Amino acid sequence: KETTADGSISLRQQVTWNGKRATVRYIGDVRFAKGEWVGLELADAVGVHDGNVMGVPYFECPATKGVFAQPAQLSKATLAGVKAAAENEEPETLPSK
């Protein structure tokens, strides 16, 4: 589906889930649970799958970046929120030679 039943979340939308930035890749029914679920591609590799769950392909993303969540668990990402999250990330350090 293109949007959740209440219209609050749509495909390709940027959201936050448990404080993590993500992009909506799937909306709809799943075989592993009842109700409407949202498949997410997390910005960081802290997920649990690649969009395939129990042998069923729901969406595609890199391994360890995929999760499913209920729509109520998601917040719409705002530019201010994304910027604040990025500013709070630890800077990447390069190994010394």
Side-chain angles (χ1 to χ4, degrees):
K1 298 182 336 186
E2 287 289 318
T3 64
T4 53
D6 67 2
S8 65
I9 304 291
S10 59
L11 286 177
R12 296 173 297 284
Q13 182 175 354
Q14 299 297 305
V15 297
T16 56
W17 170 78
N18 287 346
K20 296 168 181 64
R21 293 175 289 149
T23 302
V24 175
R25 298 293 185 212
Y26 176 86
I27 299 170
D29 295 331
V30 294
R31 290 190 188 170
F32 58 84
K34 292 199 180 291
E36 182 176 54
W37 288 82
V38 179
L40 303 173
E41 179 179 342
L42 299 172
D44 298 315
V46 293
V48 293
H49 58 71
D50 63 358
N52 288 275
V53 177
M54 297 169 43
V56 180
Y58 294 99
F59 62 97
E60 292 182 11
C61 72
T64 70
K65 284 196 169 189
V67 296
F68 273 95
Q70 299 263 248
Q73 296 175 299
L74 306 176
S75 299
K76 293 181 183 180
T78 63
L79 286 178
V82 169
K83 183 178 178 187
E87 288 172 355
N88 289 330
E89 289 178 357
E90 291 293 320
E92 186 175 319
T93 57
L94 299 175
S96 57
K97 293 184 180 181

